[in-house]
Amino acid sequence: MTIDSIKSSLQDHFQTRFHKRGQVFYAPGRVNIIGEHTDYNHGFVMPMAINKGTYITIAKREDNQLNIFSQNLSEAVSIENINSFNALTGENRWANYVAGVIYFLIQHCALDGHTGADIYIYSNLPMGAGLSSSASLTIAVGYAYQAIYNLSCPKRRLAELAQKVEHQFAGTLCGIMDQMVCALAKESHALCLDCDTLTSEQVPCEFENLSFVICDSSVKHSLADSAYNDRRASCELAAQVCGEKTLREVTYDKLVSFGEKMPKESFFCAKHVITENQRVLEAKRAMRAENWHAFGALMFESHQSLQHDFRVSCDELDYLVELSKHFDGVYGARMTGGGFGGSTVALVEDQRIDEYQEYIQSHYSHQFSLSPKLYTSRACQGVRSLM
Ligand code: ADP
Ligand code: MG
């Protein structure tokens, strides 16, 4: 389906449900192509927006009520007065992402008068698969709401409000990468984000004959949360032993000279973070030079480092990367996201993609009795109006 046909069918659904015309907005999901576990260490990340995302059809109301319908969940939630919103619990929790971002926007922009809206949500992103359906949702809703109410909230500020929603209404203590890329991404560019200064740079990510293939391993090991906290603490300890606030200030030589004074885990975690930051900067240079073989090699190196130094990979992800390494037409592959399951991302020649997908499907399901889900994308544009 084309974006135009999705848009017109959503307008029909909106009309049927709310008996008026709605305007359509869209924000993409994302994949991080290099720079893993560097964000909370004030380092560099390089996500790009993908070709799937969340569509919001929306219209103002003459009161302060919020009516939200999610086509994906077939569920409706009404909030009597959004100006005095309190977090929802239980079954309706998903609507916190929507109401939360609107609530923060109303406060931030000091909107007075009516604040209500009717909202119809449809997303073609899988939820909870690491493609950031939640950031796609909050950014799409926030952008749509500020457009219909003529608020002027810069995208960078919107990203901060959307992050605050994750923290305060969803209990997810995430960084700001996802929200920034959903909001700011430019077509054919990845977004190199400096998580220390929160400045970003659009990096050309355009090629004639290559695409990124995301492979959802369909596993999420229970270790993920506790390991995240452990690794985070190990990184903080390493920085502290080196006499710095964060690993961003620690050079590899300095780490080595203080290596004996810290637990082994801390040393290897810090080694990953420091080398990964260098890889992101090298990746940026490779992209500018359109040297996709060099870029792919950095993806493989990143995986190695996550596997052996940071130790957040798992058999399923390692196998997917190993398979990719042995497939002619793959330039690079790595796990993406927090680890212990989730997805891999590979850079693959367009003409080999069908075969690559079949190859991965058959080998992976044979080895693990699981069926992986594959998505192909190039770097897409961030949030926008489809009016
Ligand atoms: P991810 O962001 O990696 O997809 P999260 O757990 O952060 O995973 O976010 C998924 C949650 O976001 C869902 O459980 C749901 O609450 C909410 N969500 C995302 N997309 C939609 C949608 N289209 N309709 C309703 N809720 C959604
Ligand atoms: Mg999320």
Side-chain angles (χ1 to χ4, degrees):
M1 275 233 274
T2 64
I3 285 193
D4 275 345
S5 63
I6 295 178
K7 176 186 153 189
S8 90
S9 114
L10 289 173
Q11 274 169 329
D12 292 346
H13 288 313
F14 188 88
Q15 181 82 39
T16 309
R17 178 161 278 269
F18 297 113
H19 313 291
K20 53 180 150 175
R21 219 185 126 67
Q23 293 177 33
V24 189
F25 297 83
Y26 169 85
R30 65 94 188 92
V31 64
N32 190 23
I33 55 178
I34 195 157
E36 217 64 69
H37 287 281
T38 44
D39 54 347
Y40 53 86
N41 290 300
H42 293 237
F44 300 101
V45 291
M46 183 99 75
M48 67 170 210
I50 59 170
N51 57 4
K52 288 187 187 300
T54 308
Y55 294 80
I56 298 298
T57 314
I58 189 168
K60 282 196 219 180
R61 290 179 58 86
E62 301 290 305
D63 57 21
N64 298 333
Q65 190 170 324
L66 214 57
N67 295 313
I68 314 165
F69 178 76
S70 165
Q71 183 179 315
N72 301 87
L73 303 177
S74 286
E75 277 183 40
V77 171
S78 277
I79 290 152
E80 183 82 20
N81 182 358
I82 181 63
N83 299 339
S84 54
F85 175 65
N86 284 308
L88 302 160
T89 52
E91 292 262 288
N92 290 342
R93 269 200 328 254
W94 63 271
N96 282 328
Y97 290 101
V98 182
V101 73
I102 292 178
Y103 176 70
F104 286 143
L105 266 171
I106 292 170
Q107 288 188 335
H108 177 69
C109 301
L111 176 61
D112 52 12
H114 298 147
T115 53
D118 294 318
I119 300 174
Y120 189 102
I121 302 164
Y122 164 72
S123 163
N124 53 15
L125 280 168
M127 289 183 215
L131 301 182
S132 217
S133 69
S134 65
S136 167
L137 175 60
T138 47
I139 293 294
V141 168
Y143 187 81
Y145 186 83
Q146 63 105 37
I148 60 164
Y149 272 102
N150 264 321
L151 310 174
S152 45
C153 180
K155 287 177 180 171
R156 156 94 198 258
R157 186 76 193 127
L158 177 60
E160 284 167 357
L161 298 180
Q163 180 194 26
K164 201 161 125 183
V165 172
E166 298 268 0
H167 289 188
Q168 294 188 13
F169 291 114
T172 309
L173 294 177
C174 57
I176 201 172
M177 169 175 88
D178 300 351
Q179 292 76 15
M180 287 284 271
V181 66
C182 291
L184 296 174
K186 250 175 78 177
E187 183 159 10
S188 305
H189 290 74
L191 191 78
C192 184
L193 184 64
D194 179 337
C195 300
D196 191 41
T197 57
L198 290 190
T199 48
S200 59
E201 198 182 325
Q202 303 284 353
V203 186
C205 185
E206 205 179 9
F207 15 66
E208 257 169 31
N209 56 342
L210 301 167
S211 293
F212 286 100
V213 180
I214 300 156
C215 178
D216 177 359
S217 69
S218 327
V219 290
K220 192 84 216 164
H221 296 294
S222 57
L223 225 66
D225 289 341
S226 65
Y228 175 82
N229 294 333
D230 285 355
R231 301 299 186 278
R232 213 177 154 137
S234 290
C235 291
E236 279 163 16
L237 178 63
Q240 199 193 333
V241 171
C242 293
E244 301 288 357
K245 258 213 182 100
T246 71
L247 286 179
R248 177 64 177 274
E249 283 89 45
V250 181
T251 60
Y252 188 64
D253 288 347
K254 185 162 193 176
L255 176 71
V256 170
S257 67
F258 282 88
E260 303 278 273
K261 298 192 169 69
M262 64 182 77
K264 247 189 161 153
E265 300 88 69
S266 277
F267 175 82
F268 284 105
C269 283
K271 180 185 169 208
H272 163 73
V273 172
I274 294 166
T275 57
E276 185 79 351
N277 278 332
Q278 290 166 351
R279 279 187 288 274
V280 177
L281 298 179
E282 271 179 55
K284 194 166 75 176
R285 284 191 286 274
M287 290 164 87
R288 290 203 182 285
E290 295 181 44
N291 187 346
W292 299 106
H293 283 291
F295 180 84
L298 290 161
M299 292 176 83
F300 282 130
E301 281 171 34
S302 168
H303 186 81
Q304 276 252 319
S305 175
L306 287 157
Q307 180 183 359
H308 298 296
D309 290 341
F310 211 70
R311 294 180 302 111
V312 289
S313 189
C314 59
D315 291 347
E316 293 87 349
L317 296 174
D318 291 342
Y319 187 63
L320 288 169
V321 171
E322 207 48 41
L323 286 175
S324 305
K325 212 172 253 174
H326 293 106
F327 187 86
D328 189 31
V330 170
Y331 283 41
R334 57 183 287 274
M335 56 160 275
T336 179
F340 299 104
S343 300
T344 57
V345 57
L347 184 59
V348 189
E349 277 173 14
D350 284 333
Q351 60 183 25
R352 299 281 288 149
I353 283 182
D354 289 347
E355 264 179 86
Y356 174 72
Q357 297 199 345
E358 279 164 30
Y359 161 83
I360 293 281
Q361 298 270 12
S362 69
H363 283 78
Y364 186 75
S365 27
H366 183 255
Q367 181 83 0
F368 293 106
S369 308
L370 286 166
S371 58
K373 290 172 210 72
L374 292 138
Y375 309 92
T376 301
S377 185
R378 292 193 175 188
C380 297
Q381 197 194 319
V383 69
R384 61 193 184 268
S385 161
L386 301 181
M387 268 183 278

